């Protein structure tokens, strides 16, 4: 059973600094090699698709981040899809064109919201 971090899980606020290691609220276990490979494949995807693969590259990066992040000992999982992001990306791109770029100020928060809503506890 998965549980969304943004809506279903409620955690007590952390007061003061959180110690690293055992008992930490968050733990990250990713390494440079897997990060580099993921980002290289994502960059190639963007280049060879003339930018149309950008949403899929974002999903690859988010999956890598989530798979290497643990919250209270529970691994995170990114459940978003490239096709869902692609639809949003086209909509945001068109809105930026129509508003002469003004809508771009809303794109970053909307993308962060989408990323957060699609990250769950594994």
């Amino acid at each position: 059973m998965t549980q969304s971090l943004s809506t279903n899980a409620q955690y007590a606020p952390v007061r003061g600094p959180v110690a690293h290691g055992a008992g930490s609220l968050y733990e990250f276990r990713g390494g440079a090699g897997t990060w580099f490979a993921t980002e290289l494949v994502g960059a190639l995807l963007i280049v060879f698709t003339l930018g149309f693969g950008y949403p899929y590259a974002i999903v690859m990066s988010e999956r890598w981040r989530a798979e290497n992040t643990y919250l209270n000992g529970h691994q995170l999982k990114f459940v978003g899809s490239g096709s869902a992001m692609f639809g949003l990306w086209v909509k945001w791109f068109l809105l930026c064109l129509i508003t002469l770029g003004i809508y771009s100020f809303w794109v970053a928060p909307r993308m962060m919201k989408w990323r957060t809503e699609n990250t769950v506890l594994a």
Side-chain angles (χ1 to χ4, degrees):
M1 174 183 247
T2 59
Q3 185 176 14
S4 173
L5 294 178
S6 61
T7 57
N8 298 335
Q10 295 185 14
Y11 299 97
V14 177
R15 298 182 200 253
V18 176
H20 295 293
S24 292
L25 183 60
Y26 286 101
E27 183 180 357
F28 184 75
R29 300 180 185 170
T34 58
W35 173 81
F36 182 75
T38 302
E39 295 302 309
L40 179 63
V41 170
L44 292 173
L45 180 65
I46 293 168
V47 169
F48 287 116
T49 62
L50 302 175
F52 288 102
Y54 180 74
Y56 298 92
I58 291 291
V59 168
M60 286 174 38
S61 292
E62 287 300 309
R63 284 201 177 127
W64 177 85
R65 180 195 51 80
E67 288 171 0
N68 289 288
T69 304
Y70 293 78
L71 175 64
N72 284 332
H74 300 285
Q75 185 177 28
L76 299 183
K77 181 178 181 182
F78 186 74
V79 296
S81 70
S83 56
M85 172 56 107
F86 187 80
L88 292 171
W89 195 251
V90 169
K91 179 178 84 172
W92 295 338
F93 178 75
L94 293 174
L95 285 169
C96 286
L97 284 178
I98 292 168
T99 63
L100 303 175
I102 295 172
Y103 191 76
S104 64
F105 293 107
W106 281 264
V107 172
R110 298 234 190 309
M111 186 178 289
M112 184 59 69
K113 180 181 181 197
W114 183 81
R115 287 173 171 170
T116 304
E117 289 174 348
N118 285 286
T119 302
V120 297
L121 291 172

